[in-house]
Structures are given as structure tokens and as C-alpha cells.
């Protein structure tokens, strides 16, 4: 939402760009040292025909996500990769025939002592440190770059073709890399650029014609980038322009798939707007560093705008960027951040956009809090202990006095249930030392008409307002904060009537297990990739919290606090990965000592809204009814709650066997058929007959120390119809995630939710990920040895009879697994040779470019990877050391064809893992069936609380059998370990001992307490109208009509008896 904001006095940028205010330009003395004193290679007396200028690099220079190990220095103002260009060709940017990095591409001529070209490869520590500092002070979020070498090329007073020396140019190109990240720095001497064009390009006295160019070109016709004045007469003034606040200096990050401008963001081909960090707690308070837009003026206003809220921006010269404090957002997920620049006349001059991810409250917290009750339920005047990392409170910028002397405020915020907005509720501690821990008292707050009895709250820590301002952040420092996870403050006693009212109105939904997996009966089964369930975890994604938990040796986290609050007695809980097709609810499955719990108080339940999806709706629809019925002290109410939000007992639990791809690669089909296919290229792994789901894989040649040929799986991509593709790829030995063509970094993320899929990070190293889709499909990959050592694909049973591809025709019949692509659909016998399987079945599933779902890195394409002619090895004859493989034939094969025992070891581990999955996926049965518990192994029932017996059919309570304890005609009903009274109107209470008043009573908002009482008033009014005149009758009818309408409204209020929200009634 874009709106006008006040201009801050600190929102000032003294620009050095063309047309702006200029600071000192670059003298030669600012150049990185060059010349004979630094042992540079010196080249003179050349036009285009340079001698060999090859530089072999100790580690790769990464350019457009492509590694190069050799560079060449060119006389015409460029560094080329792969080979030397022997002549001047103006048609680059785009159009280059070889990859090129050019600070000033023009037809130079150094004949007749007309200038000198100097170059060297340097690892001098002082220069490496200087370059690292240049990078960290220029690029948003890059603080730990340490180059291992520099390539320094200097064109010193070079003339132009043909042997002209009346004008000369002096400029320098510095390239630095650590083998992973690479940067370039172009330096132009102040007034040192005097010519733009050689004679052959139509120049007259070095000017006019087709001027010089500056930029980057990968030579693929797609990936290239030019500086703004490239190819224009204005390039003559390049020494007076910059993107890093120093005229004559331009810096870029060149290792990514697009060129990243240092300093300000250039609106040119292939650039992106940089933001750090790229994720933040959706409660806000995080300092965001945003790349400034080139050309920002001192009078411009700048702010960061989201769809839900805006934040004022401040330009910080030390960062060469804008900072703003992330606002609180109502929802988590992907957000568009708009950097908006408005001039003093109020006109929007520039809007640049970046993608950021708002982390759910339950994962983005940086303050660890524990209560006296050791759960998430708080009561007024109780103690809460807070822990945090002191450095997390401050920004990455300098702070007067340092972290140790910073004082902080501790505040409690609450979620306003009527607006879904977080608001500050109370200051608990003011101006205290930033020690990293404090014990504070929960305040007794008054929330007005809060009929729920409980309110979500969180604890915030921020710099004290009376402390010296964080340097450069005048006006926004007070908005900085770090926050705890969400707690629930009980503001009034839970009333039994609330539970009773909810029980009467809550409807019973049909069991969705007819379509979806029932609860696995043990936690060991629940953690399997084919279980259909995911572990409920609210572990913080923030490194600062992980550091403080290690420091204070505290293993408990928000997950355990959640379970102790809402699943008492459980050790861990899982929830379904997908929503039920019948309605938007999912099953939760909870376990104690590894066994499924059924019923109150710790058993799983039905969720309408998963907690990570929407914390407010989860609170209102799922947690509040539980608190009313299970925290009010009556076990009978809790048992009644579980009758409506029933625990699944695992009786219908079936775990369809997954498919697996492992090793070099070997396949286990969806029907369990094992075979080897060493195709090279891109293939369909799973295709549904209606094309609603598709999964493709990319196989490349295996890293091999042997002579044999084999392939490995390096990338997979999948999507549903009309949804974004999710791609997992191993590139440069890192596991990358792409959503469409956008790369996603999981540094501070546990999972990312999309419209039709969720991506899970499954380990701390980022080598294992899972992807679940809304149709129930699940993919899990593990990176090892530079490729996917294991890929698991699990499909629910509704896919049976509907899939084709390399993972087979899924119909529980192995014999027809090797069915080729339609329309031929030829079946290859499962006992065929590997060569026949390769040629007749495997290659038929190779995809073409128009079928590909893949995002491609620079210089890559479907044609780049596909190779039908690739001939793998089908058998091995040489003996292999069996110390690793323990006589496993697949392991032995992989060691033989790759020469790498670690690959064979990973293959053996995958085989063992699949055997365990197969064993654990076997169904268990109890006879007789468990009626009030879970069958956890053959003929072994674990009973729910309140039941016992072989099949959990006996109730521990016998109160109803010993006489009816219910008064006023109430009926006694047995429950697990207790009983409840079913009361007749107008009685209520635990024993039906209380009678509802027959007169009208008013709530705090003045509305009637009962619809029946409202109707009684209506009928009294109607009786009175019989003695009135016709005119009066007419008037009264109108009044009665209005009262009826009000009565309907009051019915909603009376039925819910909750709050000013209507979420529960809507459900």
C-alpha cells in the first residue's frame, strides 16, 4: 500500500552519479598498485595481436554462476575467459563470442610507446584485505567475504587505433574471488578517459562513431549487462560517475545468475534489488538493509512499502543503502517489498521491488521465554524468565557505547482479536542492562469485553528510548525489537458454560481418513517419508536464539511448551501434510514413549487451521475450545471435546511403499521393482495420466575415478497444474532451491509455504529437504558426494493406476513397470537386460525442451544436458574391495564404475534405509480391534486414558452404574474415566444443578443473553397490540419486526459467548 510519508531529515544521499553532486574522483593513486614495482607483467607495442596472456587461477572465478579456471588479459580493455580474443569486435553486450568482462571495450593501440598494459595475479594480504573491505562496505548483507586472490589489470595511458596518441585512457579492472563468490571493481582515473572510438569505428580524433562499451557478457546471447552509459557518447564521462559513491569507481558481484550492482541499484538488464536479511519475524522489528536506487536526491523521501504496512526509510552513508524497520504484518509468507522514492513534489519517481519472506510468529522468535508453569499459559502476577543474545538487540550498525552499555526495555504486546493487530500492552522493565536475561512479572491487564478469557501475548525487547540513539538511525531506532514466541494470558476464569455452549454448537465433520493417511501407530512410523505426516516443530529459525540456548544449556523450546499446554503428557506430535479434501481440517497425532495416544488429555485432535498457517485462526478455532473444555477442571468436558475433535486411533493406518532413486542411479519403482538406468539427460520420473502432477529428473555423468561410465541424479523439479514449480538442484556442491526461476535461501527458514506446496528444511546443514504437495505427493532428497545420493517419492493410494514414468506404472503390479512413453506404451519385461531396459524403456522418457519444467542456469538448456548416445557400463568384471559394501551388489557396482568408495557407502546406506522403511510400513492388526486405544503392534492395544482391557473396551469410571448423580432430570453419560450430565433446559452445570434465569439479562455490550427470552418479549408485545387501534397495530408490527431481527443477531452472540470476533461461529 503506497502512501505519502513525511520526509525525514536523515533521508539524504549526496550522490555522485551523473547529474548529481560530485565528490572527489579517482586519482591514479587510488588504483590498486600496479607497474614494475609490483612485478606486473608489462605489455607494450601491440595493437590487437597480443602474445599469450593466460593466467591460471588457483580456485575458480565464478562468472554468471559458471566456473572458469583461466583468464586472459586483452589489449582492448577487457578480461576474457576460456580463451584470448585476438582482434577487436565491437559487437558485444550482447553478441560476444567468448565470455568477457570489460571495463572499457574500445579499439586500443599501444604501438610506438602509446601506453602500457600491466597485469598480475596477486595474493598480497594488504590488497586482499582492502578488496574485502571494499566489498563489505558496498554490498548489502555481505560481511564475511575473504578473497583468495586478485586479478589486477591496468591500462595505463593507452592510445586508440590507428596509432593515435593525442588522447589516452587510464583505467583498471580488479577481480577477486574465494572460489564461490566473485566481484569486479572498475576504476577510471579522474579525467583519464579522453577517447571513446577508434578510427575503424568511425571516430574522429577519438570521438563520435560507435563509442566504447562497458559491462559483462557470458557469450550466450542471454546473460549480459551494460553500464548505463555503455555504447553512448556519455561514456567519455564515466570517470565522473559511480554506483558506489566514488566517481570513477564501479563495483559488481558477478558470480550469481544475474549481475548484482554494488551500492545503488541500476535499472538495467539482469539486475536485482538486494535486501538483507531476506526473511524476518512477521511481528516486525527487524532492521532491513535495502539497496538504494541510483540517482536518489537529498530532498527525496524513501520508504519500504508492503501491501499491509509501510516503514520509513533512512539513507545510511556507511552502508551506501537505505535501512528501515520491518513493520508487523498480519500474515506470514512471501511478501513484495517496494522501495519507493518520492520527490519533494510528492511524485513517485522510482519503485523497485524485492521478494522477502515473513516468518510465522512460531518460528521467527529471538527471545526465549519460560513460565512458572513451564507451558504457554500465563496468569497475571506470575513470573516469566527471558533469555536473549545481547548483540541481537542492536542493528548491524555501530552503537555508541557498545553492546555492553546498551540499556533495553521489556514490553508485553497482545494480539487485538478484533483487528488482528499486535499492540503494546505494558512496559514490564525499563532502562535495564542488556545482560541477556531477566525475570519479570506478568501484568494484570484489563481487556474490556473479552468473553474468551484468554489472549495471545508476546514479549518484546528493544533499545531503551533514553539510551543514546543507534548511530544513524534517528527516528526509527525505537522501532527495533526482538520478540518471544506467542504465549496465552488468561485474563478471566474459564467458565464451564463456554465449553457447554461450544459443545452444543460444534458440528461433527466426516472422517477424512477415507482419503488420507490415518495416524501412524508409533512415532517411528510417523517419521517415515511415506507416513503423510510432518513433525510439529516451533523451533526458532534464528541463529541468535540457537546461540543463547546453547549458552544457557536449555534444550526446551516452544514446541515442548506448546505440547505441555495443549497436548498434556505427549512427547511429540505430528500433523498431516495436506488438507482434507472434504473440508479444511487436518489430523494431529501425538505420542508418549513412542506410542500413539488416543483421547484426552494428551491425544491428537482435529485442527481446522494448522498453527503455522494462521496463528489467530488456529487460536480462535482450535486452541480456545480446548482451553474451555480441558483446562476448566472438568474431565467430562474434555472427554466430550475429544468426541467432537476426536483423536485418530490409527486403525486405518496404511503406509504405501515409496519409490527411491539412489546411487548412480538405481531405481525402486512405486510398485517395488528394482533396476538400474544410467541415462544422461532430463527425464520424466512421474507423470499422471491427466497431467495434473509431473516430476522430472536430471541425470549427469557421475564423478568418477574409474574408467567406466555412469550417471547420477543432480536435480529434480515438480509441480501441479497451474502452480509454481519447485526445483531442487545440486550445483557447485550446494543444494539449491528454486521456486520458478527465483532462488530461495533457507539460512533463517525451516520451511516455506506456497499455494500448492510446502518446502521443508530437514537438517541444519542444508543437505536434506522435503517437498509436500496439496495432492498428497511428497519428495525428499539428500545431497552427498556432489549429487542426490537418495531421492524418495511417496504418493498416496489415490495415485494408483494413474501414473507413468521412470518410477513405473503405479498399479501394485511389478510386471508392467517398464512401460514406455505413450503413444507406443510398449512393455519391456522386468527380467530384461540392463541394456534393453536402457534403450527401450528408459530413453523413451527423455524429455524435450518444450516439455521441460526446469529452470536453467546460464549457458545451460535441455539440449545441453540431453545425450541419447551416452553409453553406460552395464556390468563390471573387475573385482572390488568389499570392505565397504559387505557384498551388496549395488554398492559394489557403484564403487567399480566411479572408483569412489564413499559413493558405494552412500548406496549401501540408502539400501539399508529403504529396507527399514519397508519393514516399518508393514500394517499391524489387533484381534479383537482396539476400540478406545491404538493397535501399536500385533494384538497389543495401548488404551486411552480412562479405559482398560485387552481391546480397551472397559471404562474405568462406574459412577453412572452406581446411581444417577445428575439432578433435575439430567441423564448420566459414561466417558473415559469419568461421566457427564446431559441437562434439560433450563438447567445446566456439572450436575444440572443450576437453572437459567427466565428474565432478560444483559451482557457488557447491552445485548440480550438468550434468544428465547428475546422471543418472550416479542410475544408479550404482540399480546398488547390486540387492544390498540389499527394504526397503532401497524406501528407495533414494525417494532416487532425489528425486535425479531435483533433477536437473530443476539442468537449469534448468545451461541458463541466468546468475543467480538465471529471466527468460531463461522466455522
Amino acid at each position: 500500500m503506497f502512501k505519502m510519508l513525511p520526509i525525514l531529515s536523515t533521508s539524504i544521499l549526496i550522490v555522485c552519479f551523473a547529474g548529481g553532486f560530485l565528490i572527489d574522483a579517482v586519482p591514479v593513486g587510488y588504483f590498486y598498485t600496479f607497474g614494475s614495482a609490483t612485478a606486473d607483467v608489462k605489455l607494450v607495442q601491440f595493437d590487437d595481436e597480443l602474445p599469450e596472456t593466460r593466467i591460471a587461477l588457483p580456485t575458480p572465478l565464478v562468472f554468471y554462476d559458471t566456473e572458469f579456471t583461466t583468464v586472459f588479459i586483452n589489449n582492448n580493455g577487457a578480461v576474457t575467459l576460456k580463451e584470448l580474443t585476438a582482434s577487436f569486435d565491437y559487437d558485444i553486450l550482447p553478441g560476444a563470442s567468448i565470455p568477457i568482462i570489460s571495463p572499457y571495450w574500445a579499439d586500443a593501440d599501444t604501438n610506438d610507446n602509446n601506453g602500457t598494459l600491466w597485469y598480475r595475479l596477486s595474493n598480497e594480504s594488504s590488497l586482499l584485505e582492502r578488496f574485502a573491505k571494499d566489498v563489505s562496505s558496498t554490498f548489502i548483507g555481505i560481511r564475511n567475504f575473504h578473497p583468495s586472490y586478485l586479478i589486477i589489470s591496468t591500462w595505463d595511458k593507452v592510445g586508440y587505433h590507428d596509432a593515435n596518441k593525442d588522447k589516452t585512457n587510464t583505467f583498471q579492472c580488479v577481480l577477486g574471488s574465494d572460489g564461490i563468490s566473485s566481484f569486479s571493481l572498475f576504476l577510471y582515473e579522474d579525467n583519464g578517459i579522453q577517447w571513446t572510438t577508434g578510427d575503424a569505428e568511425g571516430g574522429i580524433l577519438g570521438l563520435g562513431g560507435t563509442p566504447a562499451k562497458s559491462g559483462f557478457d557470458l557469450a550466450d546471447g542471454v546473460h549480459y549487462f551494460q553500464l548505463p552509459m555503455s555504447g553512448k557518447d556519455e561514456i567519455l564521462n564515466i570517470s565522473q560517475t559511480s554506483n558506489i559513491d566514488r566517481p570513477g569507481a564501479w563495483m559488481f558481484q558477478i558470480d550469481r545468475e544475474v549481475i548484482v550492482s554494488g551500492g545503488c541499484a541500476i535499472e538495467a538488464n539482469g539486475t536485482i534489488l538486494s535486501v538483507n536479511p531476506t526473511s524476518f519475524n512477521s511481528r516486525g522489528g527487524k532492521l532491513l538493509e535495502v539497496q538504494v536506487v541510483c540517482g536518489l536526491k537529498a530532498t527525496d523521501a524513501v520508504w519500504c512499502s508492503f501491501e499491509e504496512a509501510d516503514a520509513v526509510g533512512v539513507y545510511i552513508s556507511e552502508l551506501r543503502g537505505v535501512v528501515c524497520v520491518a513493520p508487523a504484518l498480519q500474515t506470514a509468507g512471501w511478501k513484495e517489498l517496494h522501495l519507493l522514492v518520492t520527490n519533494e513534489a510528492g511524485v513517485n519517481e522510482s519503485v523497485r521491488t524485492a521478494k522477502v519472506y515473513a516468518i510465522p510468529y512460531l518460528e521467527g522468535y529471538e527471545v526465549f521465554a519460560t513460565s512458572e508453569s513451564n507451558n504457554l499459559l500465563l496468569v497475571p502476577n506470575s513470573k516469566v524468565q527471558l533469555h536473549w543474545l545481547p548483540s541481537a538487540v542492536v542493528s548491524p550498525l555501530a552503537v555508541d557505547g557498545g553492546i555492553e552499555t546498551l540499556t533495553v526495555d521489556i514490553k508485553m504486546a497482545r494480539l487485538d482479536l478484533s483487528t488482528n493487530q499486535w499492540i503494546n500492552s505494558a512496559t514490564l522493565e525499563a532502562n535495564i542492562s542488556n545482560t541477556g536475561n531477566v525475570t519479570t512479572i506478568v501484568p494484570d491487564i484489563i481487556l474490556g469485553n473479552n468473553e474468551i478469557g484468554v489472549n495471545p501475548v508476546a514479549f518484546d525487547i528493544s533499545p531503551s528510548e533514553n539510551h543514546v540513539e543507534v548511530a544513524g538511525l534517528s527516528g526509527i531506532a525505537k522501532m527495533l525489537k526482538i520478540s518471544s514466541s506467542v504465549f496465552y494470558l488468561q485474563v478471566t476464569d474459564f467458565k464451564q458454560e463456554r465449553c457447554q455452549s461450544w459443545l452444543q454448537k460444534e458440528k461433527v465433520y466426516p472422517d477424512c481418513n477415507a482419503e488420507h493417511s490415518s495416524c501412524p501407530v508409533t512415532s517411528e512410523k510417523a517419521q517415515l517419508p511415506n507416513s503423510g505426516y510432518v513433525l510439529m516443530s516451533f523451533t526458532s529459525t534464528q541463529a541468535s536464539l540457537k546461540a543463547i540456548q546453547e549458552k544457557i544449556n536449555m534444550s526446551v523450546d516452544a514446541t515442548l511448551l506448546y505440547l505441555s499446554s495443549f497436548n498434556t503428557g505427549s512427547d511429540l506430535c505430528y500433523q498431516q501434510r495436506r488438507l482434507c479434501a472434504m473440508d479444511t481440517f487436518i489430523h494431529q497425532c501425538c505420542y508418549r514413549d513412542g506410542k500413539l495416544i488416543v483421547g484426552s488429555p494428551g491425544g491428537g485432535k482435529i485442527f481446522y487451521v494448522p498453527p503455522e498457517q494462521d496463528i489467530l485462526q488456529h487460536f480462535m478455532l482450535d486452541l480456545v475450545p480446548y482451553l474451555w473444555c480441558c483446562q476448566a477442571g472438568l474431565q467430562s468436558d474434555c472427554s466430550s471435546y475429544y468426541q467432537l475433535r476426536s483423536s485418530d486411533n490409527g486403525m486405518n493406518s496404511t503406509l504405501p511403499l515409496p519409490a527411491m532413486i539412489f546411487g548412480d542411479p538405481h531405481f525402486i519403482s512405486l510398485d517395488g521393482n528394482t533396476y538400474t538406468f544410467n541415462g544422461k539427460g532430463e527425464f520424466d520420473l512421474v507423470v499422471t495420466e491427466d497431467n495434473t502432477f509431473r516430476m522430472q529428473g536430471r541425470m549427469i555423468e557421475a564423478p568418477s575415478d574409474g574408467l567406466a561410465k555412469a550417471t547420477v541424479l543432480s536435480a529434480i523439479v515438480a509441480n501441479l497444474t497451474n502452480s509454481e514449480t519447485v526445483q531442487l538442484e545440486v550445483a557447485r556442491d550446494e543444494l539449491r532451491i528454486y521456486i520458478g526461476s527465483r532462488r530461495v535461501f533457507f539460512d533463517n527458514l525451516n520451511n516455506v509455504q506456497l499455494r500448492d506446496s510446502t518446502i521443508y528444511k530437514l537438517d541444519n546443514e542444508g543437505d536434506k529437504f522435503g517437498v509436500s504437495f496439496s495432492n498428497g505427493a511428497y519428495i525428499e532428497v539428500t545431497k552427498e558426494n556432489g549429487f542426490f545420493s537418495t531421492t524418495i517419492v511417496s504418493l498416496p493410494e489415490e495415485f494408483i493406476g494413474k501414473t507413468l514414468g521412470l518410477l513405473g506404472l503405479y498399479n501394485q503390479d511389478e510386471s508392467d513397470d517398464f512401460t514406455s512413453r505413450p503413444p507406443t506404451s510398449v512393455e519391456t519385461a522386468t527380467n530384461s537386460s540392463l541394456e534393453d531396459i536402457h534403450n527401450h524403456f528408459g530413453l523413451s522418457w527423455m524429455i524435450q525442451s518444450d516439455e521441460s519444467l526446469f529452470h536453467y542456469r546460464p549457458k545451460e538448456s535441455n539440449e545441453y544436458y540431453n545425450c541419447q548416445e551416452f553409453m553406460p557400463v552395464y556390468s563390471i568384471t573387475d573385482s572390488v574391495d568389499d570392505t565397504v559394501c559387505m557384498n551388496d551388489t549395488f554398492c559394489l557396482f557403484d564403487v567399480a564404475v566411479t572408483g569412489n568408495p564413499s559413493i558405494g557407502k552412500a548406496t549401501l546406506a540408502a539400501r539399508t534405509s529403504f529396507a527399514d522403511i519397508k519393514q516399518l510400513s508393514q500394517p499391524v492388526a489387533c484381534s479383537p480391534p482396539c476400540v478406545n486405544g491404538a493397535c501399536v503392534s500385533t494384538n497389543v492395544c495401548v488404551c486411552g486414558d480412562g479405559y482398560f482391557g485387552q481391546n480397551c473396551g472397559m471404562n474405568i469410571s462406574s459412577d453412572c452404574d452406581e446411581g444417577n448423580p445428575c439432578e433435575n432430570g439430567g441423564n448420566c453419560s459414561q466417558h473415559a474415566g469419568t461421566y457427564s450430565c446431559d441437562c434439560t433446559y433450563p438447567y445446566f452445570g456439572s450436575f444440572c444443578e443450576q437453572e437459567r434465569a427466565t428474565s432478560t439479562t444483559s451482557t457488557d455490550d447491552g445485548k440480550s443473553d438468550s434468544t428465547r427470552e428475546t422471543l418472550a418479549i416479542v410475544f408479550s408485545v404482540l399480546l398488547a397490540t390486540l387492544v390498540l387501534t389499527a394504526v397503532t397495530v401497524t406501528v407495533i408490527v414494525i417494532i416487532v419486526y425489528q425486535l425479531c431481527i435483533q433477536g437473530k443477531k443476539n442468537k449469534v452472540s448468545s451461541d458463541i459467548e466468546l468475543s467480538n470476533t465471529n471466527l468460531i461461529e463461522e466455522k
Side-chain angles (χ1 to χ4, degrees), residues 208-260:
T210 51
K213 292 184 176 181
S214 179
F216 310 88
D217 194 335
L218 188 59
D220 63 351
V222 177
H223 297 88
Y224 64 93
F225 170 84
Q226 297 189 66
L227 273 64
M229 67 292 298
S230 174
K232 305 174 184 177
D233 292 334
E234 291 84 352
I235 200 168
L236 186 67
N237 300 317
I238 195 170
S239 65
Q240 304 302 311
T241 65
S242 174
N243 67 340
I244 62 171
D245 208 21
R246 183 67 188 263
W250 290 80
M251 201 165 197
F252 301 90
Q253 184 176 3
I254 62 174
D255 57 86
R256 299 174 68 175
E257 293 183 23
V258 293
I259 299 297
V260 179

Side-chain angles (χ1 to χ4, degrees), residues 310-518:
D310 293 328
V312 178
V314 178
Y315 176 70
I316 303 296
S317 58
E318 292 85 353
L319 289 178
R320 295 180 178 138
V322 168
V323 297
C324 58
V325 178
L329 303 177
Q330 292 187 11
T331 58
W334 286 107
K335 307 291 180 181
E336 283 195 346
L337 184 158
H338 303 277
L339 183 66
L340 187 61
V341 178
T342 302
N343 63 23
E344 56 186 336
V347 178
N348 293 340
E349 290 188 328
S350 175
V351 178
R352 297 296 302 279
T353 302
K355 284 280 190 179
V356 293
Y357 193 82
I359 306 172
Y361 310 144
L362 297 176
E363 297 177 10
Y365 57 95
E366 294 184 82
V367 178
F368 183 74
T370 56
S371 64
E372 288 183 301
S373 59
N374 203 31
N375 60 36
L376 297 180
L377 298 176
L378 302 177
V379 293
N381 303 313
S382 62
K383 293 181 180 179
V384 172
Q385 193 171 30
L386 307 177
H387 300 273
W388 68 94
L389 198 66
S391 60
V393 182
V394 301
S395 76
L397 308 182
V399 179
D400 285 348
I403 295 172
E404 297 79 10
T405 60
L406 177 72
T407 57
V408 296
D409 294 338
I410 313 294
K411 299 178 182 179
M412 188 177 76
R414 69 177 180 86
L415 184 63
D416 188 314
L417 302 181
S418 62
T419 64
N420 197 16
Q421 298 281 353
W422 285 91
I423 58 176
N424 287 328
S425 181
T427 298
L428 310 183
E429 310 287 341
N431 199 32
I432 65 171
S433 298
N434 185 28
T435 59
N437 62 82
V438 69
T439 299
T440 189
I441 303 297
V442 177
D444 190 356
I445 61 176
I446 299 175
L447 299 181
N449 185 27
N450 185 309
E451 290 291 333
I452 296 177
V454 66
N455 204 100
V457 297
F459 300 95
D460 297 334
I461 300 176
S462 57
S464 297
E465 294 199 22
N466 63 345
H467 186 83
V468 177
E469 284 277 4
V470 179
L473 296 184
S474 174
I476 66 172
K478 61 184 179 182
M479 303 180 212
L480 293 170
K481 69 181 179 186
I482 56 175
S483 303
S484 73
S485 184
V486 177
F487 283 73
Y488 303 93
L489 176 61
Q490 185 174 341
V491 293
T492 62
D493 292 335
F494 295 132
K495 299 177 182 178
Q496 185 193 7
E497 297 94 303
R498 291 171 178 151
C499 176
Q500 294 296 325
S501 176
W502 179 83
L503 290 172
Q504 292 174 15
K505 302 302 179 288
E506 178 76 351
K507 67 177 181 178
V508 179
Y509 283 83
D511 184 4
C512 79
N513 285 324
E515 298 180 15
H516 301 273
S517 301
S518 181

Side-chain angles (χ1 to χ4, degrees), residues 578 693 718-720 726 756-757 771-779:
R578 66 188 288 201
F693 177 72
N719 77 334
L720 304 180
V726 177
D756 294 313
S757 58
V771 185
S772 65
F773 294 87
S774 59
N775 64 355
Y778 177 72
I779 302 168

Side-chain angles (χ1 to χ4, degrees), residues 35-46:
S36 56
T38 57
D40 278 12
V41 176
K42 177 182 179 181
L43 295 174
V44 296
Q45 301 288 332
F46 291 102

Side-chain angles (χ1 to χ4, degrees), residues 3 48 116 168 188 210 251 307 343 351 357 422 453 478 621 689 763 766 769 873 902 917 1029 1058 1066:
K3 62 184 180 183
D48 289 333
T116 306
T168 62
Y188 305 90
T210 51
M251 201 165 197
E307 182 179 353
N343 63 23
V351 178
Y357 193 82
W422 285 91
K478 61 184 179 182
L621 299 176
E689 291 179 343
D763 68 351
F769 279 84
V873 168
S902 62
I917 292 172
T1029 65
L1058 306 179
E1066 287 176 353

Side-chain angles (χ1 to χ4, degrees), residues 35 214 248 400 453 677 723-725 739 789 861 926 941 943 947 1017 1052-1053:
S214 179
D400 285 348
F677 171 60
S723 69
E724 289 184 294
T725 58
I739 299 173
S789 59
S861 63
C926 290
C941 294
C943 299
Y947 296 100
I1017 296 174
V1052 176
S1053 176

